[in-house]
Amino acid sequence: QQQVKQSPQSLIVQKGGISIINCAYENTAFDYFPWYQQFPGKGPALLIAIRPDVSEKKEGRFTISFNKSAKQFSLHIMDSQPGDSATYFCAAVTTSGTYKYIFGTGTRLKVLA
Amino acid sequence: DTEVTQTPKHLVMGMTNKKSLKCEQHMGHRAMYWYKQKAKKPPELMFVYSYEKLSINESVPSRFSPECPNSSLLNLHLHALQPEDSALYLCASSPGIPPMYEQYFGPGTRLTVT
């Protein structure tokens, strides 16, 4: 019940295309959902985050869509660029009760020039 | 300064060695974290320090011993590790708990246990 399922495992997108990564969770206690970007040899960096009282959040080319009833959320990268090639992790966090910060399994994105 | 620094960048140690990893931040953050990340896997939370006190230990074996000497510094002492402990060890910090605050990650220490 503490897992966060992320798909796809890997993704190849043409430059200018839309990259879509999906995550699903089971524990309704999760109430904060960040997305991280990790380049090889670097630590993860927060891209964008959402709370369940909002269905969509957009920051630049990055958008999170959140479906509370389905317990799913997704990251959309618009106008994908080769510099976006990295591993992306979703995460689910509980901010009350037992503290849990659970990362998804990761998606390796490659954007072709 | 919006950086979390970690030293060393790489560490190779034998199973009988004792070594330490160091993490430092000067952003005034009051929560600091240790994560372990295996290749092609997500980070796994090991420890959380909040206001210099250990608040979470995710059932980590005692061969890993964290220490928070002050609000800017976090150490991870290693002793009698196993080869399966080889991984990237990430340190992170955030302004505080609750964790709706962003976690700032360091670049990690690549640990190899021989």
Side-chain angles (χ1 to χ4, degrees), chain A residues 32 36 38 41-46 51 89 93-95 99-101 103-106 108, chain B residues 33 35 37 40-43 45 48 56 58 88 90 98-103 105-107:
Chain A
Y32 176 67
Y36 286 85
Q38 186 175 24
K42 302 285 187 183
L46 181 72
R51 296 185 68 183
F89 293 100
V93 187
T94 56
T95 62
Y99 174 74
K100 287 292 177 188
Y101 210 111
F103 283 83
T105 47
R108 302 182 87 180
Chain B
Y33 312 77
Y35 286 85
Q37 186 176 28
K40 298 185 181 180
K41 296 290 185 184
L45 184 64
V48 180
I56 294 173
E58 291 283 5
L88 181 69
L90 293 162
M100 54 272 290
Y101 294 108
E102 172 177 354
Q103 286 194 18
F105 281 83

Side-chain angles (χ1 to χ4, degrees), chain B residues 29-103:
Chain B
H29 289 175
R30 303 314 302 268
M32 296 185 76
Y33 312 77
W34 279 116
Y35 286 85
K36 173 182 178 180
Q37 186 176 28
K38 302 281 269 185
K40 298 185 181 180
K41 296 290 185 184
E44 293 178 29
L45 184 64
M46 299 174 72
F47 302 104
V48 180
Y49 272 83
S50 179
Y51 295 86
E52 299 159 49
K53 290 189 182 344
L54 182 64
S55 59
I56 294 173
N57 176 342
E58 291 283 5
S59 303
V60 179
S62 59
R63 57 186 185 269
F64 295 92
S65 175
E67 179 196 19
C68 189
N70 60 58
S71 60
S72 301
L73 192 55
L74 186 66
N75 297 320
L76 186 63
H77 303 297
L78 314 171
H79 174 55
L81 293 193
Q82 303 297 309
E84 58 264 29
D85 296 322
S86 299
L88 181 69
Y89 287 84
L90 293 162
C91 174
S93 70
S94 64
I97 304 270
M100 54 272 290
Y101 294 108
E102 172 177 354
Q103 286 194 18

